[in-house]
Amino acid sequence: MDLAHVLHMNGDVEEASYANNSLIQQKAISLGTSSRIKAITNLYCAVYPRSFAIAELGCSSGPNTLSVIYEVIKVVEKLCQELNHKSPEYKIFLNDLPGNDFNSVFKSLDNFKNKLRDEIETEMGPCYFFGVPGSFYDRIFPNQSLHFVHSSYSLHWLSKVPNGVDNNKSNIYVTNTSPSNVLKAYYEQFHIDFSLFLKYRAQELVEGGCMILTFLGRESDDPLALGKGSSYGWELLAMALNDMVVEGIIEEEKLNTFNIPNYYPSPSEVKLEVQTEGSFSINQMEVSEIMGADGVYNTNAFDSKSEMYESVAKGTRAIIEPLMIVHFGEGVIDEAFDRFKIILESGISKERTKITNLTITLIRKP
């Protein structure tokens, strides 16, 4: 499976679209607000760019896509007013894989610009937007062309399913029942991918440029101490798929050859890769938590717990459905997520999950 051609979040604005089912991602972005404001303030005051280049990597589509861009511009405009500086022009690069719903993003740009102009009291510089399709595990921008790079909930996606995990029977991710070689393969792929990501961004950022990355991760250095953490949803989805194998709805071989291309690193693993690659200094590293569905969803907005878990299931479907359709076929998707919702109700409601976020602020060394 060539992930670069099939991996994308569900597009458009349908019921199972990413745009309508990305509250967890929105929560994670909001948790990093203070770090971003501090980093943007320091960057602007160190560089005073007349043309400010910002890249959002793994932008997807929906309300989260432009939220950080909006925040960055407001911070810079406030600084310009305080320092009596002329507003810079903004070059905004939106990157994701080619299957991303860029059309929805482009259609929202006029509203975005109008909202900015309404909220900023002085005349701001022009905003130029660019869509940049391609994998961020390759070069995607010219040398020293960017001042600020942001990516949230994207870098836990690997460039491919690791090699040598065919013996991860009945699992779709790393679990306590996975053979040791599976864990090693997942970590090795993360090492390869993240080191390339750092290498290429170092070439694309100006000296002193800033990069803020938020991963889905784990707290423990023990990769098997997963508990009810970020990967727990994949365990529950695997339960639904295994039930469908038992009932003959899905072929066993199909399940045994399906593995999620994610890796949830620990803080020490992220730090090690940054220090080993060597192009960036670590300005700040934060670990934050979102406690289960109740920490994301407004429970008062639902008539029942069942309705809330249906929203959780839709959020998972918005992320993984395109990969599942390619592997299993479209005909089993509704059934798989109906079962997943039932398992969510009986499983997560008994023990609260904990989603761990790792946010790291990096500065490009001279």
Side-chain angles (χ1 to χ4, degrees):
M1 183 188 298
D2 185 351
L3 281 181
H5 289 93
V6 300
L7 179 60
H8 58 85
M9 306 298 101
N10 273 350
D12 217 340
V13 290
E14 300 300 325
E15 186 178 3
S17 70
Y18 181 80
N20 288 328
N21 296 281
S22 50
L23 282 175
I24 291 176
Q25 294 84 348
Q26 183 184 84
K27 180 76 171 179
I29 289 172
S30 69
L31 289 173
T33 298
S34 60
S35 294
R36 287 191 301 273
I37 291 174
K38 179 181 176 182
I40 291 299
T41 300
N42 291 339
L43 173 63
Y44 179 79
C45 292
V47 180
Y48 295 128
R50 299 307 315 139
S51 182
F52 194 22
I54 308 162
E56 179 71 35
L57 306 186
C59 67
S60 195
S61 59
N64 298 334
T65 296
L66 297 170
S67 62
V68 172
I69 303 298
Y70 184 83
E71 177 185 86
V72 170
I73 292 175
K74 287 195 69 176
V75 170
V76 172
E77 289 299 310
K78 185 173 183 291
L79 288 168
C80 288
Q81 293 175 31
E82 292 172 352
L83 298 169
N84 198 26
H85 287 183
K86 182 180 178 181
S87 174
E89 68 173 15
Y90 297 94
K91 293 182 290 188
I92 299 161
F93 300 94
L94 303 172
N95 158 260
D96 212 315
L97 293 173
N100 184 54
D101 186 8
F102 283 102
N103 281 340
S104 292
V105 178
F106 297 150
K107 289 175 182 177
S108 72
L109 292 182
D110 284 343
N111 287 337
F112 173 83
K113 291 179 181 179
N114 291 334
K115 184 180 177 183
L116 266 177
R117 292 191 186 101
D118 289 343
E119 291 201 17
I120 294 173
E121 297 176 356
T122 57
E123 184 177 354
M124 62 175 285
C127 295
Y128 302 105
F129 288 86
F130 306 86
V132 186
S135 171
F136 50 46
Y137 296 124
D138 292 318
R139 278 293 301 271
I140 46 179
F141 301 105
N143 284 334
Q144 298 188 32
S145 60
L146 302 175
H147 295 96
F148 178 70
V149 170
H150 179 263
S151 184
S152 182
Y153 272 34
S154 295
L155 278 160
H156 59 271
W157 287 99
L158 301 172
S159 66
K160 65 176 186 176
V161 174
N163 295 328
V165 297
D166 293 341
N167 60 334
N168 196 26
K169 306 297 184 185
S170 300
N171 298 312
I172 63 174
Y173 186 64
V174 179
T175 73
N176 290 320
T177 64
S178 297
S180 59
N181 69 286
V182 172
L183 171 60
K184 182 178 179 181
Y186 266 91
Y187 175 74
E188 181 61 24
Q189 192 61 52
F190 167 74
H191 161 71
I192 292 169
D193 287 343
F194 191 41
S195 60
L196 281 174
F197 177 89
L198 293 169
K199 172 186 172 183
Y200 292 138
R201 300 299 81 75
Q203 295 169 13
E204 296 163 355
L205 274 158
V206 301
E207 291 184 7
C210 179
M211 184 159 63
I212 299 183
L213 313 173
T214 296
F215 299 79
L216 269 172
R218 67 180 198 275
E219 286 184 288
S220 174
D221 285 333
D222 179 1
L224 293 180
L226 299 171
K228 301 296 184 286
S230 302
S231 64
Y232 187 47
W234 299 140
E235 292 186 43
L236 299 182
L237 181 59
M239 289 172 60
L241 295 173
N242 274 287
D243 288 345
M244 294 172 73
V245 169
V246 171
E247 296 179 26
I249 301 171
I250 291 176
E251 295 177 11
E252 185 175 9
E253 182 183 359
K254 282 287 188 181
L255 176 58
N256 288 339
T257 54
F258 183 68
N259 288 281
I260 304 291
N262 283 176
Y263 186 78
Y264 305 113
S266 68
S268 61
E269 288 174 341
V270 173
K271 288 179 182 178
L272 177 62
E273 295 301 330
V274 173
Q275 291 165 352
T276 301
E277 195 280 330
S279 298
F280 294 90
S281 59
I282 299 174
N283 180 265
Q284 188 174 6
M285 180 83 171
E286 293 180 289
V287 180
S288 60
E289 296 176 350
I290 302 173
M291 296 304 296
D294 291 343
V296 176
Y297 296 88
N298 176 10
T299 55
N300 294 327
F302 298 96
D303 293 332
S304 65
K305 283 279 189 179
S306 177
E307 196 174 292
M308 183 177 73
Y309 286 124
E310 183 175 357
S311 289
V312 177
K314 287 177 183 176
T316 303
R317 182 170 182 167
I319 294 168
I320 202 63
E321 181 174 10
L323 290 185
M324 290 181 64
I325 288 174
V326 170
H327 192 84
F328 296 107
E330 192 167 2
V332 303
I333 301 301
D334 287 343
E335 176 74 13
F337 283 98
D338 286 344
R339 291 170 181 254
F340 179 57
K341 179 205 163 190
I342 293 171
I343 293 171
L344 282 170
E345 291 176 329
S346 62
I348 287 186
S349 60
K350 293 178 181 177
E351 185 174 350
R352 296 188 74 190
T353 57
K354 181 176 67 175
I355 299 169
T356 300
N357 304 308
L358 310 179
T359 298
I360 189 166
T361 302
L362 303 175
I363 306 299
R364 175 69 169 92
K365 292 179 181 178

